[in-house]
């Protein structure tokens, strides 16, 4: 695949789809390098990787209306924990599309930025307090009814010892009761012997979850299965191995 122009990225922060406010994002991951110099280095500095950290950074157009970004993320939210998700194909996402997600603390919120005569902007920085996961869309953001969802199967590979199966759920609207979501695994795409690999908490309100389970999981196919007791919920589910 060659270079691409970003035109339709979906960005999820906590219980809010911030796509329509955001115009720039980044999610850098880096390891703190520790010096381990010795005479065998022949005059070169020797480094070893220490702790890994990640950030989620958003910039976009500020909006203080009742449904604007400013009403969901205010200065009082500094230090609160949020989940952050990036979906590569935006509103056209389907199961199996690539995604990236993390969890962290809001370390910077600038509700208003920019110069006179320019569009008012905002800036948000999220410092990770958990893994930054390269994963997949298990359930694209959509409104669903009591029919629930059985997502498309994704062949991610087995989860080896020392790694984890991670999942993030973003609930952006809730008009009903008891949204229950699980991640199933199996050794074949048709899920002839499906097993529950991870269970999320049942919810009846907007919000988010970020959770994981340790390997080993020998199955290599995964999918989202959810049920809704009453009415409708809008939600997305991302999963991956890290």
């Amino acid at each position: 695949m060659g270079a691409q122009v970003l035109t339709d990225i979906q960005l999820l922060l906590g219980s809010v789809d911030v796509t329509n406010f955001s115009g720039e994002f980044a999610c850098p991951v880096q390891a703190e390098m520790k010096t381990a110099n010795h005479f065998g280095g022949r005059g070169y500095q020797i480094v070893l990787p220490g702790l890994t950290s990640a950030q989620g950074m958003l910039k976009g157009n500020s909006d203080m209306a009742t449904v604007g970004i400013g009403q969901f993320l205010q200065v009082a939210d500094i230090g609160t924990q949020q989940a952050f998700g990036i979906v590569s194909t935006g509103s056209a996402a389907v199961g199996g599309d690539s995604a990236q997600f993390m969890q962290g603390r809001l370390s910077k919120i600038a509700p208003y930025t920019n110069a006179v005569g320019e569009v008012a902007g905002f800036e948000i920085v999220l410092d990770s307090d958990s893994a930054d996961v390269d994963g997949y869309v298990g359930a694209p953001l959509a409104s669903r009814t009591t029919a629930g969802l059985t997502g498309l199967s994704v062949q991610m590979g087995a989860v080896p010892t020392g790694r984890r199966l991670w999942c993030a759920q973003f609930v952006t609207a809730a008009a009903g009761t008891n949204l229950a979501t699980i991640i199933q695994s199996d050794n074949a795409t048709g899920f002839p012997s499906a097993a529950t690999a991870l269970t999320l908490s049942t919810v009846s309100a907007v919000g988010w979850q970020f959770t994981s389970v340790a390997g080993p999981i020998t199955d290599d196919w995964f999918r989202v299965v959810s049920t809704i007791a009453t009415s409708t919920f809008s939600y997305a589910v991302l999963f991956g191995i890290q």
Side-chain angles (χ1 to χ4, degrees):
M1 179 177 178
Q4 66 181 106
V5 175
L6 297 180
T7 58
D8 192 19
I9 297 293
Q10 187 174 65
L11 301 169
L12 304 168
L13 185 65
S15 61
V16 185
D17 180 359
V18 296
T19 305
N20 290 336
F21 302 104
S22 304
E24 183 179 343
F25 73 93
C27 197
V29 182
Q30 63 182 20
E32 182 182 14
M33 292 299 170
K34 298 294 186 178
T35 57
N37 296 328
H38 52 77
F39 289 113
R42 301 183 182 276
Y44 286 88
Q45 180 166 283
I46 307 300
V47 295
L48 294 173
L51 295 177
T52 300
S53 63
Q55 282 189 323
M57 296 182 286
L58 287 175
K59 294 182 180 180
N61 301 323
S62 184
D63 184 350
M64 300 302 289
T66 56
V67 294
I69 186 68
Q71 297 302 307
F72 295 110
L73 292 169
Q74 301 179 350
V75 173
D77 294 313
I78 286 287
T80 61
Q81 197 175 46
Q82 301 282 349
F84 179 45
I86 303 167
V87 178
S88 64
T89 49
S91 58
V94 297
D97 282 345
S98 62
Q100 188 175 9
F101 59 99
M102 59 175 284
Q103 172 187 275
R105 300 277 178 176
L106 288 168
S107 61
K108 177 181 180 180
I109 298 177
Y112 279 118
T113 63
N114 234 328
V116 62
E118 301 295 336
V119 175
F122 76 91
E123 183 177 353
I124 294 170
V125 177
L126 187 78
D127 288 329
S128 70
D129 60 5
S130 191
D132 183 281
V133 185
D134 292 315
Y136 301 89
V137 175
L141 183 62
S143 177
R144 299 180 175 90
T145 66
T146 52
L149 168 76
T150 298
L152 294 178
S153 58
V154 180
Q155 190 175 28
M156 293 196 299
V159 183
T161 301
R163 300 182 70 181
R164 304 180 74 88
L165 171 66
W166 294 85
C167 176
Q169 178 174 269
F170 303 84
V171 181
T172 61
T177 59
N178 294 344
L179 166 63
T181 301
I182 63 173
I183 307 299
Q184 289 184 334
S185 68
D186 208 333
N187 58 7
T189 183
F191 283 70
S193 54
T196 298
L198 186 150
T199 301
L200 279 70
S201 298
T202 300
V203 297
S204 296
V206 298
W208 59 272
Q209 295 184 58
F210 185 94
T211 188
S212 67
V213 63
I217 300 174
T218 57
D219 291 335
D220 58 345
W221 289 88
F222 297 85
R223 70 180 180 186
V224 173
V225 175
S226 63
T227 59
I228 295 172
T230 65
S231 197
T232 61
F233 287 82
S234 294
Y235 60 98
V237 182
L238 312 179
F239 52 52
I241 300 170
Q242 187 71 19

